[in-house]
Amino acid sequence: NAGVMQNPRHLVRRRGQEARLRCSPMKGHSHVYWYRQLPEEGLKFMVYLQKENIIDESGMPKERFSAEFPKEGPSILRIQQVVRGDSAAYFCASSGGGYQPQHFGDGTRLSIL
Amino acid sequence: DQQVKQNSPSLSVQEGRISILNCDYTNSMFDYFLWYKKYPAEGPTFLISISSIKDKNEDGRFTVFLNKSAKHLSLHIVPSQPGDSAVYFCAASASTPNTPLVFGKGTRLSVIA
C-alpha cells in the first residue's frame, strides 16, 4: 500500500496522559500536513512540515501540542496532558509539493476518558 | 469566520440523475480549489481540482465549475450512482504553493437506487 499510513487508527487515553499519533507519507512525498476534525465539522489545519522543519504551525494550539517530521521515520503529532476537548479525528496528508493535491490517511480517532 | 462554506448539510438524489454540490468562499486570495469525498471511518479521497485560471474542469462523471466573480464553485456528478453516497468536502488554498487547505463543513450526498 503506497498511500498515507497513519497509526494507531484508534487511541484511547485518560485525561492527563500523552497521545502520540504517527504518519508515514506517500512514497516520494516530503510535505506533511496535520488536520483535526471535530464531529459534524470540516477538517481544520494544524501544522505543515517538511523533513526536519516546521513550515507553518499557525493552526496548532500553543500549549500541549507539538509536531515533528524527522529525517528518518514518520511524522509525529504529540499531545501532552490530554483533555476531553482533544477528542477528535486527526488526519495526516502528504503531497509532492507545488500545487499537487494532498492525499490523506484514514486518520487516528482519539478518545479521551 | 468560515472562509469556505457549504450551505447544504445534505442532499438526496435519485440514481442516474445529476448531483450538484455547491461551495462558496470569501477569501479573494484563494485560487486553487479541490473536492474530496469521504466515507465513514476513512480519510478524504481527492476527487478533482480546479485553478482560478479555469472555469471548468472535467474528469469522467465529475465536473467542477468555478465562478470567480461570485466566489462560487460547484461539483456536478452525472449520472449519480449509489456508490457516490458519501460526505463531500470543498477545500481551497491561496496562491502560494504548498499552503494548507481550508475546508468547508461538508455535504452528505445520498444517492437513492
Side-chain angles (χ1 to χ4, degrees):
Chain A
N1 186 347
V4 179
M5 302 301 294
Q6 289 188 249
N7 68 81
R9 292 293 311 274
H10 301 274
L11 182 60
V12 180
R13 285 287 177 266
R14 297 188 181 280
R15 280 178 294 172
Q17 291 184 321
E18 179 179 283
R20 283 196 185 200
L21 289 63
R22 294 174 184 77
C23 169
S24 296
M26 283 180 71
K27 189 174 181 180
H29 286 185
S30 59
H31 302 257
V32 167
Y33 305 79
W34 285 92
Y35 295 83
R36 176 165 64 177
Q37 185 185 25
L38 297 171
E40 307 303 321
E41 295 284 326
L43 282 72
K44 296 281 171 61
F45 165 73
M46 298 182 74
V47 61
Y48 160 40
L49 311 101
Q50 292 185 39
K51 281 289 186 181
E52 300 185 274
N53 289 305
I54 296 175
I55 307 301
D56 181 351
E57 55 182 348
S58 59
M60 201 144 75
K62 294 288 183 277
E63 297 180 354
R64 303 189 298 109
F65 286 72
S66 62
E68 61 178 7
F69 188 15
K71 188 175 180 181
E72 302 291 336
S75 175
I76 306 285
L77 179 68
R78 182 183 301 141
I79 311 172
Q80 296 178 300
Q81 300 173 347
V82 296
V83 301
R84 288 250 170 88
D86 297 333
S87 295
Y90 292 82
F91 291 97
C92 169
S94 73
S95 82
Y99 285 106
Q100 294 184 38
Q102 296 176 24
H103 294 272
F104 284 81
D106 283 339
T108 294
R109 275 139 192 91
L110 176 64
S111 298
I112 309 302
L113 301 179
Chain B
D1 178 35
Q2 268 203 286
Q3 298 184 70
V4 177
K5 298 178 184 178
Q6 294 178 256
N7 291 320
S8 298
S10 62
L11 175 68
S12 288
V13 172
Q14 288 281 348
E15 181 180 6
R17 299 288 188 107
I18 185 171
S19 296
I20 300 176
L21 297 99
N22 294 303
C23 178
D24 298 292
Y25 61 96
T26 57
N27 190 336
S28 301
M29 297 300 292
F30 289 152
D31 71 344
Y32 181 55
F33 305 90
L34 307 91
W35 284 94
Y36 285 84
K37 171 181 177 180
K38 187 180 181 303
Y39 294 118
E42 293 185 10
T45 300
F46 169 71
L47 272 178
I48 192 168
S49 63
I50 188 167
S51 73
S52 59
I53 62 173
K54 293 185 172 183
D55 54 18
K56 176 183 174 181
N57 189 24
E58 191 172 351
D59 184 1
R61 296 186 298 115
F62 302 92
T63 303
V64 56
F65 296 91
L66 175 62
N67 182 333
K68 289 186 291 292
S69 61
K71 294 191 176 68
H72 176 84
L73 63 155
S74 60
L75 174 68
H76 293 210
I77 307 172
V78 57
S80 301
Q81 299 173 354
D84 295 330
S85 297
V87 178
Y88 288 78
F89 289 99
C90 171
S93 69
S95 54
T96 306
N98 305 320
T99 52
L101 299 175
V102 179
F103 282 84
K105 289 189 175 184
T107 296
R108 183 178 303 278
L109 173 65
S110 299
V111 179
I112 304 161

